[in-house]
Amino acid sequence: VSDCDRPVLVLCDSPGSPAEWMLMELQGEVVSRQNIGLAGGQMGDLHYTKEGIPVLLIGHHILYGKVVKLEKPFAVLVKHSGLPEGTEDDMETGEEKPTSYQVSALIKRKIIFKTRPKPIITNVPKKV
């Protein structure tokens, strides 16, 4: 049986609307100093000015961005396999539940940081 023959369900189980996430678009490349990668780690701090302008602080650098609406929104889906976990009896009978997808979040906007990062320089005494 191919995946095309199985029905696919998309569910939204939250009482209201799903959470809204935002994409972050950076120009260039962000590299970790320890060369351990950025997956699961904190990249920097995101703040907003009183005017609503996003400000990203990465190490000793600052980036200013803007929030734009996406032309086509994205849905963040969580796949639930049709096979129940830990039960081999259902696999022997051939009965499967259909694969379903749960909508966990919607992405309608993104933050774009187009400019190069500016260094954050504090006051350094002239006489050391």
Side-chain angles (χ1 to χ4, degrees):
V1 177
S2 68
D3 285 337
C4 297
D5 297 335
R6 295 183 189 161
V8 175
L9 303 174
V10 178
L11 308 171
C12 182
D13 67 351
S14 60
S17 60
E20 185 176 337
W21 291 2
M22 287 202 298
L23 289 177
M24 187 178 298
E25 183 177 311
L26 300 167
Q27 305 299 318
E29 184 177 6
V30 179
V31 180
S32 171
R33 285 187 178 185
Q34 291 82 20
N35 293 328
I36 57 172
L38 297 172
Q42 182 177 354
M43 182 177 73
D45 295 319
L46 179 64
H47 302 276
Y48 289 89
T49 64
K50 292 179 183 176
E51 295 81 24
I53 297 171
V55 177
L56 181 62
L57 300 169
I58 302 177
H60 295 292
H61 294 86
I62 188 168
L63 294 104
Y64 295 95
K66 67 177 181 176
V67 177
V68 296
K69 185 177 178 183
L70 292 173
E71 237 178 77
K72 293 182 180 181
F74 293 102
V76 179
L77 304 176
V78 177
K79 182 178 180 179
H80 298 284
S81 175
L83 297 174
E85 291 183 19
T87 57
E88 296 178 9
D89 296 337
D90 291 339
M91 289 177 61
E92 291 175 4
T93 60
E95 294 180 19
E96 284 187 21
K97 296 180 182 177
T99 299
S100 64
Y101 294 87
Q102 177 184 356
V103 177
S104 62
L106 296 176
I107 303 173
K108 298 179 183 178
R109 300 178 294 162
K110 71 177 176 179
I111 304 173
I112 300 176
F113 295 97
K114 287 186 179 179
T115 58
R116 294 182 60 86
K118 297 176 182 168
I120 300 173
I121 302 172
T122 60
N123 291 335
V124 178
K126 293 182 181 181
K127 295 181 183 179
V128 180

